[in-house]
């Protein structure tokens, strides 16, 4: 798995939560409640932001052509998080008002992830060499694994099984990358003019279709 596939998988997980939350139970604190699933959505977005920050924002922030994009995306994430946290404090999760607000906020989430797919990733593919892409993949894995492990240590009841599975998956990705480096003697390679073409291969299904 490379950084592009890891980003796509995160987008799919976030999109799945967005689709499922309106149909979740309204019982407070139950495992399948809207409250718990909304908290999961906020956590997933935060984990994704940390991994993107560690892997792509650093190198793109150093380039004059992409610096403004990364800053704009950081601000977009902060605004999405603020609105989701405000929604989490909305008590009547069974009301039409809550569902309407949820739809409005998650539309912003969709727009934010859409910009990842159609602006951030193409810019990163164009800028990063093969070696830098490998470094970005490793940074993404390290950042997300570290955040998941910290969450696990901080939870009184321990990590959720899904988090344990995620840590194991990311560890497997890291091990595979290590083998690849050893087997090939390093990533190497020059910047490829085909990188922009590869950006078009990022799945449009990484985010759910825009409403309306």
């Amino acid at each position: 798995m490379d950084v592009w596939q890891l980003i796509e998988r995160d987008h799919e997980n976030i999109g799945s939560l967005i689709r499922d939350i309106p149909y979740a139970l309204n019982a407070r604190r139950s495992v399948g409640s809207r409250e718990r699933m909304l908290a999961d959505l906020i956590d997933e977005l935060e984990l994704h932001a940390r991994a993107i920050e560690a892997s792509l924002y650093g190198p793109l922030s150093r380039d004059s052509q992409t610096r403004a994009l990364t800053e704009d995306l950081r601000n977009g994430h902060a605004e999405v998080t603020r609105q989701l946290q405000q929604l989490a404090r909305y008590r009547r999760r069974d009301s039409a008002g809550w569902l309407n607000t949820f739809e409005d906020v998650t539309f912003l989430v969709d727009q934010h992830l859409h910009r990842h797919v159609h602006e951030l990733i193409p810019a990163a593919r164009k800028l990063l060499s093969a070696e830098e892409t490998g470094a970005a993949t490793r940074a993404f894995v390290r950042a997300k694994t570290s955040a998941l492990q910290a969450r696990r240590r901080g939870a009184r009841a321990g990590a959720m099984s899904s988090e344990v599975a995620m840590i194991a998956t990311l560890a497997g990705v890291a091990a595979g990358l290590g083998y690849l480096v050893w087997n090939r003697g390093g990533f190497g390679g020059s910047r490829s003019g085909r990188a922009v073409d590869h950006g078009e291969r990022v799945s449009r299904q990484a985010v759910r279709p825009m409403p309306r």
Side-chain angles (χ1 to χ4, degrees), residues 73-210:
L73 289 172
R74 285 187 180 110
N75 292 336
H77 170 74
E79 177 60 20
V80 163
T81 300
R82 185 189 69 80
Q83 293 203 32
L84 283 170
Q85 289 173 341
Q86 187 175 25
L87 181 64
R89 294 191 290 270
Y90 196 116
R91 294 187 179 278
R92 294 191 60 195
R93 294 180 180 83
D94 59 339
S95 69
W98 189 93
L99 289 171
N100 289 338
T101 304
F102 175 81
E103 183 178 344
D104 291 341
V105 176
T106 53
F107 178 74
L108 293 181
V109 175
D110 284 343
Q111 287 185 316
H112 184 65
L113 300 186
H114 186 271
R115 294 192 68 190
H116 280 186
V117 174
H118 297 285
E119 296 180 53
L120 178 68
I121 291 175
R125 282 183 177 272
K126 183 177 180 180
L127 180 68
L128 301 183
S129 66
E131 182 178 2
E132 290 166 331
T133 298
T137 302
R138 295 191 295 276
F140 189 103
V141 170
R142 283 196 302 269
K144 197 160 187 183
T145 302
S146 176
L148 284 166
Q149 290 173 336
R151 181 191 296 176
R152 182 184 180 188
R153 288 193 297 269
R156 292 181 179 178
M160 297 292 288
S161 59
S162 59
E163 291 178 355
V164 175
M166 176 66 77
I167 292 171
T169 300
L170 291 172
V173 172
L177 286 169
Y179 173 77
L180 183 62
V181 172
W182 175 82
N183 196 40
R184 294 186 177 180
F187 281 93
S190 60
R191 297 175 191 271
S192 170
R194 294 183 298 170
V196 178
D197 295 334
H198 289 331
E200 298 301 320
R201 293 165 55 191
V202 178
S203 172
R204 292 180 180 268
Q205 299 303 315
V207 293
R208 66 191 180 109
M210 290 291 183

Side-chain angles (χ1 to χ4, degrees), residues 36-54:
R36 290 284 294 274
M37 292 183 72
L38 183 60
D40 287 344
L41 174 61
I42 294 171
D43 286 345
E44 283 293 326
L45 283 165
E46 181 59 30
L47 286 170
H48 185 61
R50 289 190 187 189
I52 291 286
E53 181 74 43

Side-chain angles (χ1 to χ4, degrees), residues 3-19:
V3 65
W4 323 120
Q5 292 169 310
L6 291 168
I7 290 171
E8 182 177 358
R9 186 174 64 177
D10 275 6
H11 286 191
E12 290 171 350
N13 291 340
I14 291 166
S16 178
L17 279 168
I18 289 172
R19 289 189 297 272

